[in-house]
Amino acid sequence: MSAIEEKFDRLKTENAPGQESRKSGGDMDKALLGDPIEGRPVDFSHGDVDAFEPTPGSFGLFKQGYEEGGAQAYTEYRGRSLIRDMVAERLAAFTKAPVDADNGMILTPGTQGALFLAIAATITAGDKVAIVEPDYFANRKLVQFFDAEKVPVRLDYADSTEKAGLNLEQLEGAFKQGAKAFIFSNPNNPTGVIYSPDEIAAIAALASKYGATVIADQLYSRLQYSDCPVYSHLRACKGIDPEKIVTIMGPSKTESLSGFRLGVAFGGKSIIERMERLQAIVSLRAAGYSQAVLRSWFAEPEGWMDERIALHQAIRDDLLGRFRASEGISVRTPQAGSYLFPKLPTLSIPPQQFVHALRKQTAVTVTPGNEFAPHSADSIRLNFSQDHQAAVSAVDRLLQLLDRYRL
């Protein structure tokens, strides 16, 4: 395999949301036993925007942007200034720290675009980068794609007390080894863990001590449940250098606006400037008409967000109850976000093959745990932002199939 082929081989998309392999598994298919377990197909690899519709009025705002014409179609590369001003004010109130709309913010094609730009603007070949395991799979893939070296920092997510968290000794060890950047999501994707105020303060102190840049992915930070502890925003911590942090957010998930491809990155002036220069040659800008939809962000109808959170919490609790009633499965309660990350019991087939069997025999799609960390291979991720009854039925089928393959 050539160097360029190897580079892109790391970016496999078979288990990415909406891209799961539907091809025949060949010998794998022959090894699968049992009759199909019928039921409505459910794809837990991503949320269902038919079950949870986009923010009210979002399409009308898109239409207004279209009708406005060139002023909205051809914005500055970092996004239209009047929209950045509006979003900056709202994000400053949410994160409890000032946001510089002119010099410290960029609108991007989705938070995925923001993540790509932030990592590209922060690291170069040979750099060491600390990443949490498990965490969002693109973190690892992008670090490797840019020929940097990942230094894993373990998150203990399956502790029965539900108090285990980030290994701060490993994080400091990564910085001592020369890691110049740290990437993490809060709430954590895939586990739904919220970092405690003490953990966030420790991350800020360590990053400041070693002069490291931090990329904080806070995509799900609005979807906090009633039993969620206090949420701390890293950028609001005392002592952290505002020029050495980038926060990424967007309305794709909680607000179901993923189809508009909107992301926002805000933080250090020099990093944002580099991100803009790169965006100018990659995609030019976040889609101009879509930028207009950001007017709805943090401005939803009264009670809308509370209802959305309550509906997700009800699904979460029903699915947790089913998993915990099944022998040998451990699963931590997500404190925010819409992911469950149950750890499976020992099976007669490898976890990857079980994921394939699940899709083939029950029409239920999940993301295998090894996408998020090597030590999470016996876990699976489910995005439970789905029709409630369809999600429950799908998990019942999952558990029925699991019983077929128990040792």
Side-chain angles (χ1 to χ4, degrees):
M1 183 181 294
S2 69
I4 191 67
E5 287 173 330
E6 183 177 353
K7 189 180 186 73
F8 278 86
D9 188 59
R10 300 169 184 163
L11 301 180
K12 289 183 171 69
T13 60
E14 288 84 352
N15 294 307
Q19 295 293 326
E20 70 286 348
S21 175
R22 294 183 174 89
K23 297 179 181 179
S24 170
D27 291 339
M28 185 181 290
D29 282 341
K30 296 175 184 177
L32 303 179
L33 305 175
D35 296 327
I37 303 172
E38 301 292 343
R40 170 182 166 182
V42 172
D43 188 347
F44 284 118
S45 73
H46 57 82
D48 183 353
V49 297
D50 295 324
F52 288 98
E53 295 181 352
T55 308
S58 54
F59 178 73
L61 291 170
F62 177 83
K63 185 172 180 289
Q64 288 177 27
Y66 171 82
E67 291 172 345
E68 192 168 351
Q72 188 60 59
Y74 295 99
T75 72
E76 299 174 52
Y77 290 144
R78 64 177 60 193
R80 193 173 185 182
S81 59
L82 61 86
I83 293 177
R84 282 189 283 115
D85 288 342
M86 174 199 65
V87 171
E89 182 179 351
R90 296 172 184 178
L91 288 175
F94 180 68
T95 63
K96 301 177 177 59
V99 178
D100 184 346
D102 290 329
N103 302 303
M105 170 182 285
I106 184 170
L107 310 184
T108 62
T111 53
Q112 189 82 3
L115 183 64
F116 175 89
L117 296 173
I119 293 176
T122 303
I123 67 172
T124 191
D127 286 343
K128 293 182 178 179
V129 181
I131 64 171
V132 175
E133 290 187 342
D135 208 329
Y136 184 48
F137 53 79
N139 297 347
R140 164 180 52 82
K141 291 184 177 182
L142 286 173
V143 167
Q144 293 175 328
F145 182 78
F146 288 116
D147 295 321
E149 177 185 346
K150 71 180 182 72
V151 184
V153 180
R154 185 153 178 151
L155 172 69
D156 292 322
Y157 63 92
D159 186 87
S160 59
T161 65
E162 299 200 351
K163 293 181 180 179
L166 188 68
N167 190 318
L168 293 169
E169 291 183 2
Q170 286 186 359
L171 178 58
E172 182 162 24
F175 289 143
K176 286 180 177 178
Q177 292 177 47
K180 66 177 292 185
F182 174 51
I183 308 171
F184 77 113
S185 60
N186 186 28
N188 174 263
N189 175 356
T191 68
V193 168
I194 287 285
Y195 290 92
S196 70
D198 288 344
E199 286 176 307
I200 293 297
I203 292 170
L206 289 171
S208 178
K209 178 179 178 180
Y210 292 96
T213 298
V214 182
I215 299 173
D217 176 354
Q218 297 189 182
L219 179 57
Y220 283 93
S221 54
R222 296 189 74 193
L223 191 59
Q224 302 175 28
Y225 298 117
S226 60
D227 49 7
C228 175
V230 175
Y231 186 99
S232 295
H233 297 273
L234 181 69
R235 63 187 310 271
C237 284
K238 293 180 180 179
I240 195 165
D241 183 353
E243 289 299 309
K244 302 284 280 187
I245 181 172
V246 175
T247 301
I248 295 172
M249 289 183 61
S252 293
K253 305 302 184 182
T254 305
E255 303 83 354
S256 299
L257 294 172
S258 57
F260 290 103
R261 305 310 305 145
L262 290 166
V264 181
F266 46 108
K269 176 181 178 180
S270 60
I271 299 176
I272 297 298
E273 183 178 344
R274 291 196 294 269
M275 291 174 67
E276 180 184 33
R277 291 181 181 182
L278 182 57
Q279 178 155 283
I281 62 171
V282 172
S283 61
L284 294 178
R285 59 181 63 80
Y289 302 147
S290 291
Q291 290 181 36
V293 179
L294 284 170
R295 298 177 187 276
S296 70
W297 198 26
F298 288 90
E300 299 84 8
E302 184 177 358
W304 184 87
M305 183 60 69
D306 290 338
E307 180 183 13
R308 176 144 296 197
I309 292 171
L311 291 171
H312 278 81
Q313 184 163 341
I315 301 171
R316 180 200 72 169
D317 292 346
D318 272 358
L319 300 190
L320 282 172
R322 278 166 164 75
F323 278 121
R324 288 176 174 158
S326 181
E327 183 179 355
I329 295 180
S330 62
V331 57
R332 184 163 174 165
T333 303
Q335 298 160 319
S338 60
Y339 293 118
L340 286 174
F341 200 55
K343 185 175 182 180
L344 304 178
T346 303
L347 303 176
S348 60
I349 58 175
Q352 281 272 52
Q353 193 169 348
F354 175 75
V355 168
H356 181 78
L358 185 65
R359 185 169 60 245
K360 288 290 184 177
Q361 296 187 31
T362 72
V364 174
T365 299
V366 300
T367 306
N370 63 353
E371 284 287 304
F372 308 95
H375 70 275
S376 300
D378 55 356
S379 294
I380 54 175
R381 191 193 72 172
L382 295 82
N383 186 326
F384 58 84
S385 186
Q386 310 285 338
D387 174 86
H388 193 142
Q389 292 308 313
V392 169
S393 174
V395 168
D396 285 343
R397 302 200 306 276
L398 184 157
L399 295 173
Q400 187 177 344
L401 186 71
L402 192 73
D403 287 337
R404 287 184 182 177
Y405 294 107
R406 286 180 184 272
L407 279 181

